[in-house]
Structures are given as structure tokens and as C-alpha cells.
Amino acid sequence: MAVAKVTIKKGREKPIRNRHPWIFSGAVSIAANAVDGRLVTVVDHKDRFLARGYWNSKSQIQVRVLTWEDETIDDAWWQRMLGRAWQSRAQNHAGAELSANRACRIVNAENDYMPGLVLDRYGNRVVLQAQTLFVDRHKEKIADILHSDFDAEQVFERSDIDLRRQEGLHPAVGALVGGPPPDRLLLNEGALYHVDIVRGHKTGFYLDQRRNRQKLHELVQASASASDGPPSLLNLFSYSGGFAIAAQRDSDLRAVNVDSSRAALELAEKNFALNEYDKPSSDACAEHIQADGFDYLRYCVGEGARFDYVVLDPPKFAQHKRQIARAARGYKDLNLSAFRLVKEGGYMMTFSCSGAVSRDLFQKIVFAALADSGRQAQIVEQLSAAPDHPVALTFPEGEYLKGLLLRVY
Ligand code: SAH
């Protein structure tokens, strides 16, 4: 079947030549035979080849680019691209993550040049997320390749993110290869975690925070002798307790997990029980509080509470550039209260996972919150997603997770 042609307006081809993978409706001049969810060849106003990608007229991003070479997108292409992503995880940083009870992101969508496709591996299971119509149409093939070429025993689909609605798609959850996953599976990151692939957030777990959980663990260990009595952690937007569980490894730290989701806190409680065996003393404990994060912070400030560590990992506040101002107010409010709660010489880990909020802007917002709080803080480290979530250099939007490790005085 011939591939339809999309012609770009004169003067709008530069980002495409610079290998940005998104082409917005405003840049397209003619798209005569383009069919939603099918391949298109992108050319400039002089009919010169620019890229090949896929089309969806329903989305603001009408073309997502698969390649800037004039090559065929067929099964062999998928095998090659999936192989490349798989190999990079196996060879680099996350090699150990590919063994049983370990988890790792295998394909990070646009950042691995497979826009709209996320693959997370939990042991020998792979969880697939098809974010766009084109990927949705190819998901069975992708699952078959994962099974036949990469020994994935099961491929389970968690295509239930909001983005699909903009593509005209309904949520899809279910087994693509093999049976359904077990109700709960165990993940080993040093600490142990229950992961709920079927109902949990994302593909079951926040794999992107792995390195930062580890950092918090190391920080607590390093500071252990300095503090008198068991240290304390306020883990805001805790989900299944990830940061608290890591911080409590080999420590008698007291944690308070706060989340609006009852199901998330139930998982956090189970995770605490799962790891109780390696606590040095019975001081270690965890409270699980179902509350709005903003309200709970204000309550703590009112009570004059103080913690050695505060982690702030809120959900995405800005879905689009239009929502940046509102998101900035939200981040500032949270960080202002959080600064007031950190003990003298304590630490704060603060994050934004909004792709539309740049690292630079986030740092400015945190700075503004600090100024209002009357405290002092040093940046000890810039934080980002774990290295199995690489960011394509030509796709700044791919750097969605940014954070700061701060020492507060
Ligand atoms: N820190 C977690 C991930 C947090 S994701 C980890 O490392 O695993 C954001 C969390 O915020 C989700 O668990 C969601 O349930 C929760 N959440 C969303 N809105 C909230 C609100 N207004 N108050 C409290 N929690 C909220």
C-alpha cells in the first residue's frame, strides 16, 4: 500500500530537520490521503523528503515521526528498534534490572524513537502501553516480537492513560501474550515492593524514581549517627510508599505516608509489613494517612511539626503549556509549606513531573517558595528519572521528571 504524503508549510520544516518527533497541525499544509493511525511520508514545500511517521487528524500532534531516513517501517524495523532499546538496557546501567524480581523501562516512547510506545519489564513480564492509534494498531505484533525475540513470557497491556482519548481511543487493559499477571508480584530493589500491574498507577510502579529512592536510602544511612533518636520522614504523595520503604531499609526511621488514594496506601501498608524483618529496632514505624496533600501540609505547619526529611512528589500539575501558571502556583504553595516543616539541617526532595515545566522554571518556583519561607537551602543534587528513562536530546519534553535534593537551614 502506498504511503500517504504530508506536505509541510514553507518555513516550518526546521524542527523536523532538527529531529523533533512532533509535527503540530499548524505546520501541515496538505495531507490529502493521510489516514488516521497509518504511516505518512513528510515532505517540505518543494516535495523533498523530511521524515516518515504516523498520522492522526484527531490529535494536536498530527504526525509523530518514526524515522528521518527514507526507510520502510515494517516488522524488521520494529525488530531492530526494539532490539536496540532492549540491548541498551541490558548493556548499560540497568543490566541487573533485567533479572527476576527486577524491573526496568525497556522503551521510553519518543525518547527511544518509538513515539507512543512504553514498555516496562517486570522480571520476565512486559507491560505495554499503547498511547496512540498507530501503536494500538501494531500492539499485537510488538507483543509477538517481545515474546519470540526477547523471551518475554507474558505481555500485559496497560493502555489506560488519558492521552488515548485525544487519539480517539478507549482504555484497553488485558493480556496480549500469555495469561494475566498474578494479583501481586514482588519487586526487589534492595527493599521489596508489592506491584499491582493490573490496577496500579502507570504500569504498576514508579520505576522512574528508582535512583532517587536509592539516594534517599543512602542519605538516611549516612546521616544515621548524626541525629539523636529515630529520624522522621514526611512522604507526601506517597503512592505505595516507595520513598519511605527505601528510607527505612536498615533504619529505624519513622515515616508518614500521605496520599489521596486509599488503594495506594493499602499497598504502602503491605510494603511496610513486607520489609519489617530488616529493621534494626522497633522504633521504625509508618503511618498511612489518606488526605489531600495541600491540606495535610497546612495542617502540619499549623501543628508546628518538624521532620528530618520531606519528600514532595506530586502528580502532574500541567498537562499543557497553557496550565503552567496554575501549576507554578501549586508547586509554590506545596514547597513553601514543605520548607517550614524541615528540621534545621534536614533534607527535602522536591519533584515536578510536568513535561511543560522546565527544570529552570521549577528551580525558580522552588526559589520563590524558599524566599517566602524565610529559610535557607542549598542544592545538594539535581535529580532526574533513572537512566533506563533516557531523554532524546532533540526532545526536551522528554525530560518530564526533574527534582532537587535540598539541605535546609
Ligand atoms: N512518590 C510516589 C509517586 C507519586 S505519584 C512513588 O515514588 O511511588 C503522585 C501520587 O499523588 C499518586 O499516588 C496520587 O494518588 C497522589 N495524589 C494525587 N492528587 C493528590 C492530592 N491532591 N493529595 C494527595 N495525594 C494526591
Side-chain angles (χ1 to χ4, degrees):
M1 198 182 72
V3 174
K5 200 189 313 185
V6 169
T7 307
I8 299 301
K9 287 179 188 163
K10 190 174 176 207
R12 299 294 292 268
E13 64 284 343
K14 190 153 180 241
I16 308 169
R17 288 201 200 283
N18 282 342
R19 303 201 165 201
H20 194 282
W22 291 349
I23 303 177
F24 290 91
S25 50
V28 173
S29 79
I30 313 165
N33 304 313
V35 178
D36 287 351
R38 306 267 173 178
L39 289 172
V40 289
T41 295
V42 182
V43 296
D44 71 4
H45 67 286
K46 288 190 174 160
D47 207 31
R48 287 175 300 202
F49 179 88
L50 288 171
R52 187 154 293 130
Y54 60 81
W55 175 260
N56 193 343
S57 61
K58 294 191 182 72
S59 169
Q60 276 280 90
I61 304 166
Q62 288 194 325
V63 180
R64 287 176 201 250
V65 175
L66 294 159
T67 178
W68 292 265
E69 311 294 330
D70 192 357
E71 60 178 330
T72 310
I73 309 295
D74 53 9
D75 291 7
W77 183 89
W78 280 107
Q79 280 169 319
R80 198 171 67 247
M81 293 301 284
L82 291 168
R84 194 170 96 167
W86 194 278
Q87 280 307 316
S88 82
R89 271 61 170 191
Q91 284 164 359
N92 300 332
H93 38 262
E97 256 60 68
L98 294 177
S99 54
N101 298 328
R102 298 291 175 116
C104 173
R105 174 151 297 189
I106 299 294
V107 169
N108 197 25
E110 272 76 350
N111 301 292
D112 276 296
Y113 310 97
M114 285 173 267
L117 176 66
V118 165
L119 297 176
D120 286 342
R121 183 177 166 139
Y122 295 88
N124 52 12
R125 292 179 186 82
V126 176
V127 183
L128 178 152
Q129 188 177 74
Q131 301 175 337
T132 59
L133 180 59
F134 176 82
V135 173
D136 201 73
R137 290 187 57 245
H138 290 80
K139 64 191 178 189
E140 278 86 11
K141 175 172 56 199
I142 295 166
D144 285 345
I145 296 173
L146 292 169
H147 180 57
S148 58
D149 292 16
F150 306 107
D151 296 331
E153 275 177 22
Q154 293 181 330
V155 182
F156 189 78
E157 173 174 29
R158 275 298 305 277
S159 302
D160 51 350
I161 53 161
D162 286 350
L163 188 68
R164 277 174 66 99
R165 237 177 299 143
Q166 295 163 33
E167 292 269 326
L169 288 166
H170 295 295
V173 175
L176 292 170
V177 169
D183 257 6
R184 298 262 190 274
L185 65 92
L186 277 193
L187 175 65
N188 183 349
E189 277 190 7
L192 300 174
Y193 296 94
H194 288 287
V195 175
D196 183 347
I197 285 183
V198 182
R199 288 163 295 265
H201 293 187
K202 292 204 169 196
T203 62
F205 201 55
Y206 288 86
L207 299 179
D208 50 358
Q209 292 284 25
R210 185 194 316 109
R211 279 276 171 106
N212 302 323
R213 282 190 284 274
Q214 177 67 21
K215 278 203 174 117
L216 183 64
H217 165 70
E218 286 163 11
L219 196 60
V220 172
Q221 291 297 308
S223 318
S225 55
S227 68
D228 33 300
S232 55
L233 162 72
L234 176 60
N235 186 21
L236 250 296
F237 308 97
S238 64
Y239 184 53
S240 59
F243 281 101
I245 301 295
Q248 290 184 306
R249 208 175 117 209
D250 301 321
S251 162
D252 49 11
L253 175 137
R254 295 161 175 264
V256 180
N257 287 313
V258 182
D259 202 281
S260 56
S261 156
R262 188 67 244 157
L265 292 168
E266 277 166 14
L267 266 180
E269 266 174 66
K270 289 208 170 95
N271 283 335
F272 181 75
L274 187 64
N275 290 280
E276 230 176 340
Y277 65 91
D278 73 352
K279 298 284 165 277
S281 83
S282 57
D283 284 337
C285 61
E287 273 184 82
H288 297 93
I289 296 171
Q290 186 179 11
D292 173 75
F294 289 84
D295 291 348
Y296 193 77
L297 272 174
R298 273 191 286 270
Y299 162 78
C300 286
V301 171
E303 295 286 300
R306 287 284 184 278
F307 299 86
D308 296 278
Y309 303 92
V310 175
V311 174
L312 265 189
D313 186 21
K316 200 197 260 187
F317 287 162
Q319 311 287 339
H320 316 278
K321 290 215 162 89
R322 303 191 289 285
Q323 296 170 339
I324 287 181
R326 206 189 60 182
R329 282 195 296 277
Y331 289 124
K332 186 176 168 197
D333 186 359
L334 285 179
N335 282 279
L336 171 57
S337 298
F339 275 126
R340 294 187 163 138
L341 297 177
V342 184
K343 278 187 192 166
E344 175 81 12
Y347 289 91
M348 181 160 135
M349 261 191 184
T350 179
F351 296 97
S352 160
C353 62
S354 304
V357 174
S358 69
R359 187 175 283 280
D360 184 45
L361 174 61
F362 182 60
Q363 192 168 316
K364 285 190 174 119
I365 297 166
V366 177
F367 162 82
L370 178 73
D372 285 4
S373 75
R375 306 289 302 266
Q376 286 184 320
Q378 300 162 314
I379 298 174
V380 179
E381 239 181 285
Q382 297 275 354
L383 306 172
S384 51
D388 50 338
H389 296 58
V391 179
L393 199 50
T394 54
F395 182 57
E397 295 84 346
E399 197 192 1
Y400 66 99
L401 183 67
K402 64 276 306 178
L404 295 166
L405 170 61
L406 301 168
R407 181 148 205 195
V408 183
Y409 294 96

